[in-house]
Amino acid sequence: MADQRAGRAHWASRFGFVLAAAGSAIGLGNIWKFPYITGQNGGGAFVLVYLGCIVVVGLPIMMAEFLIGRHGQRDAVGSFVALEGKGSPWCLVGWGGVAASFIVLSFYAVVAGWSFDYVVKSAMGTFPGRSAGEINALFGGLVSSPLQVVFWQGFFVAATVSIVLGGIRGGIERWSKVLMPVLFMLLVLLFVRGMLSPGAGAALDFMFRPDFGRLTPQALLDALGHAFFTLSLGAGTMITYGSYLHPKSDLFSLSVRITVLDTLVALLSGLAIFSVVFAAGLEPAAGPGLVFQTIPIVFASLPFGSLLAFVFFVLLAFAALSSSISMLEVSVAYLIDEKGWGRKRSTFLIGSLAFLVGLPSALSFNVWAQVTPLFGKTFFDLMDVLVSSYMFPLGGLFVALYAGWFWKGEGEKEELLGGRHRAWLFPLWHFLLRYVAPSAVLLILLNQIGVF
Ligand code: PFF
């Protein structure tokens, strides 16, 4: 392992790492998915469960993933090999992560592609002067065209590939440092605009006044699954990113920072979007089109609206990119570390495969909209449910069980604390990992399949 460590690329700075990992966490999950599933699940109570899952399940598992990756100093599979030896069943957890991050990349590229199309639409001044209804129809026009959707999906995969080709420091870290701060500032602007609009009160009410009567088993599962999705957990990503960390970094404060940033972005986006939804009399449960149908409406009525809409969609596209590069990096790191392949060959291969596997998802909004192979869901929805509701939570569950109960490595405690004296931290973390996180995941999964 010593020579592995010596020859391996590492993040240039701690700040760069936080931004790259936050870049992975912050993406379509926060700005596109969180508002739309909050809308579908009735608001407040769902948000509360989601926040609970972030703190007691997500954060401790994120720390465990960083720890495993940093200790193993290899990709998601190789880190378990380094810790437990080849052939250990725990390597399956790494494999599950590689598979999940690959599948999520395949359909994520479809939605990310829409944001590129909206960059072009806003650059051409398509939104100002249009009614809410017309803006709604624009979205329908885009997704019903297989050619446009597949074109943008391919474009997005190609962009992801080109960044991952640059490697850790030159590609991922350098881009994240610029993109994330700008995204954050723009979101604050949108949030302030939303709070000054007539829909602000209704938005706050919708998101923060819990109505527990609306908490279905499905809502619980969605909240849990989304906590994993939004923090990029159970996907091998944080193990892989952790493997590029220096041995002395303080994992606790890094994880807290990333989690706080991620949650803040989700809440800001939710409030910004729901203020528009309520001010314009739109439907909060509109589904996957929500952000594309509301944000252009806010901007259409603002001075410099076209410019702002343009900047917003550029940033949405970039937020998606800083996440998709982390998905691609999981499989690429596997091929580099375990198979000895070059970065170029690995990146091209996985990128092309992800594009092909993503095609049925792209067609789910148009020519295959009526094709529902299982449970009455389109291919896109099936892929989403498969990874978000099952693969990520199960991956996270096994990471928790491993780090909480089975890791025999000495120095787990010292590594976590990074030489700092926080007497309360290790026992609390261990307790959450051993009991709380696994029971939450199990209860919610069993509840969903109707055991209770
Ligand atoms: N966390 C990303 C988002 O919220 O958009 C999505 C994601 C990235 C999921 C990386 C999984 C992953 F491995």
Side-chain angles (χ1 to χ4, degrees), residues 107-360:
F107 73 83
Y108 201 83
V110 175
V111 179
W114 301 343
S115 57
F116 274 103
D117 183 82
Y118 270 60
V119 169
V120 176
K121 280 196 171 54
S122 41
M124 294 188 333
T126 312
F127 305 122
R130 289 192 193 253
S131 68
E134 286 170 332
I135 287 177
N136 263 313
L138 283 175
F139 179 72
L142 163 67
V143 297
S144 59
S145 157
L147 238 132
Q148 287 187 54
V149 175
V150 171
F151 170 77
W152 287 118
Q153 175 212 0
F155 187 89
F156 181 79
V157 173
T160 306
V161 164
S162 65
I163 297 182
V164 173
L165 280 177
I168 282 299
R169 283 192 195 191
I172 298 173
E173 185 168 354
R174 205 177 63 188
W175 278 86
S176 307
K177 266 190 187 157
V178 185
L179 302 178
M180 298 322 291
V182 189
L183 172 75
F184 201 71
M185 284 186 298
L186 204 83
L187 266 178
V188 171
L189 182 80
L190 269 182
F191 164 73
V192 171
R193 168 78 189 117
M195 287 298 101
L196 295 175
S197 82
L204 284 166
D205 218 50
F206 182 71
M207 277 189 52
F208 297 120
R209 178 167 308 173
D211 170 2
F212 290 102
R214 305 183 76 163
L215 269 189
T216 56
Q218 182 62 47
L220 291 177
L221 184 66
D222 282 355
L224 175 82
H226 192 62
F228 284 97
F229 187 96
T230 194
L231 295 176
S232 311
L233 298 175
T237 306
M238 294 311 191
I239 299 183
T240 308
Y241 271 23
S243 74
Y244 305 124
L245 268 175
H246 289 286
K248 274 273 156 253
S249 29
D250 174 4
L251 292 178
F252 173 67
S253 40
L254 289 175
S255 310
V256 169
R257 263 177 250 181
I258 294 161
T259 306
V260 168
L261 280 176
D262 185 79
T263 309
L264 213 59
V265 170
L267 295 177
L268 288 178
S269 316
L271 287 170
I273 288 169
F274 286 119
S275 340
V276 186
V277 168
F278 292 118
L282 299 169
E283 185 42 59
L290 192 66
V291 63
F292 297 95
Q293 290 160 326
T294 52
I295 292 295
I297 300 177
V298 206
F299 289 132
S301 63
L302 275 183
F304 305 109
S306 285
L307 180 68
L308 288 177
F310 173 74
V311 178
F312 176 80
F313 285 110
V314 168
L315 290 171
L316 183 62
F318 279 131
L321 259 180
S322 62
S323 298
S324 63
I325 51 186
S326 72
M327 300 169 192
L328 182 53
E329 181 66 17
V330 176
S331 307
V332 168
Y334 167 75
L335 289 176
I336 295 177
D337 286 349
E338 304 309 306
K339 302 282 164 213
W341 285 30
R343 178 166 281 275
K344 208 165 158 181
R345 185 170 159 218
S346 322
T347 311
F348 277 122
L349 177 80
I350 303 290
S352 319
L353 286 177
F355 171 71
L356 291 176
V357 173
L359 285 175

Side-chain angles (χ1 to χ4, degrees), residues 51-104:
L51 291 176
C53 289
I54 293 278
V55 177
V56 300
V57 182
L59 180 61
I61 292 182
M62 180 185 285
M63 290 160 64
E65 290 205 4
F66 284 151
L67 203 57
I68 292 170
R70 191 182 57 183
H71 197 89
Q73 288 290 300
R74 279 159 73 174
D75 61 289
V77 178
S79 286
F80 282 103
V81 175
L83 287 163
E84 293 299 316
K86 223 180 162 83
S88 151
W90 289 110
C91 299
L92 288 174
V93 182
W95 271 108
V98 172
S101 57
F102 175 80
I103 299 174
V104 75

